[in-house]
Amino acid sequence: MDPERISPRAASALYAALFLFTAAPGRFSAPMYADLGLSNAQVGAVLAAGAVAALVARSAVTVAFDRLGGGGRAARLVLVFGTVGCSLSTLACGAGRVRPLPAWWATASRVASDCSLAPMHTILNAYTIRCLPDKREWGRSRLWGAVTWGLLNAALLGPAIDRFGAAEALAVANLVTGVLLIGVVLALLPGQCGAAGGADEPRPPARSPDALELRPADDTAAPRDAADDAARARAAAD
């Protein structure tokens, strides 16, 4: 069975939705923690803890992804569960009214958010590079992610943070874009197959032992042929 394929349009939509989602907990995280009452030193420590945890999570998830065959089903799991984990972690900070937010709370939510978020880009890159029929389309597809990332940061998040505050704006943006990303993933990402020979590739049905049984040759065919030849010889002699 051939590996599954994904169209350039589907890949572009997936990248656009993913970058739209990751824009929210990205560049404006430091203002969000400052808005929640953390000091500059605490903000740096929280962001550093998340970065270290992300390195471990990305390595572990990519190894598991390869062992699962690297197909659409595994990519779906990573993207959907990563979106849910990151959204819940951001909401745990921004949606609450705890001021100032305890440093341990901010650290725990940041670690959970970065562990959920870190493998998503890596997995989507690996999947789309392998499954696009024309590999030259990968750069064009990923470009749409950069476009949506820039638009959300410049046109929406910046003004929303100035008006409503970083914590509230990021929580709402993360929730809305997370729902959008899950919808795009479930609609466009194939849910089966994988690389040729992958772990989640359907196997052909096993053949029945009866189908492999050799049937005995028809031993009566040769005597019948000899009798016919003899009859034809007598007819010719007469």
Side-chain angles (χ1 to χ4, degrees), residues 76-163:
R76 265 191 179 192
L77 289 174
V78 173
L79 293 175
V80 170
F81 282 103
T83 303
V84 173
C86 182
S87 297
L88 292 178
S89 302
T90 304
L91 287 172
C93 287
R97 293 294 179 181
V98 180
R99 300 290 191 278
L101 188 71
W104 66 266
W105 186 343
T107 303
S109 66
R110 184 68 186 188
V111 168
S113 175
D114 283 0
C115 287
S116 303
L117 192 64
M120 296 173 68
H121 284 278
T122 305
I123 296 305
L124 186 59
N125 287 340
Y127 179 79
T128 52
I129 288 174
R130 180 176 60 78
C131 291
L132 278 169
D134 185 357
K135 308 306 179 187
R136 294 172 297 180
E137 293 289 342
W138 180 78
R140 300 187 186 98
S141 299
R142 200 175 190 277
L143 176 63
W144 286 103
V147 170
T148 57
W149 187 90
L151 286 176
L152 183 65
N153 275 291
L156 296 176
L157 275 182
I161 288 173
D162 291 338
R163 182 169 182 177

Side-chain angles (χ1 to χ4, degrees), residues 166-238:
E168 288 78 7
L170 291 183
V172 173
N174 198 249
L175 180 61
V176 173
T177 57
V179 172
L180 175 63
L181 175 57
I182 291 177
V184 172
V185 168
L186 295 180
L188 299 180
L189 195 63
Q192 62 180 1
C193 188
D200 51 359
E201 179 180 352
R203 298 181 179 179
R207 296 187 63 181
S208 170
D210 296 338
L212 301 177
E213 183 179 355
L214 296 178
R215 296 181 179 179
D218 189 358
D219 296 334
T220 62
R224 284 200 303 266
D225 293 341
D228 293 341
D229 292 341
R232 284 195 294 270
R234 285 195 299 269
D238 295 339

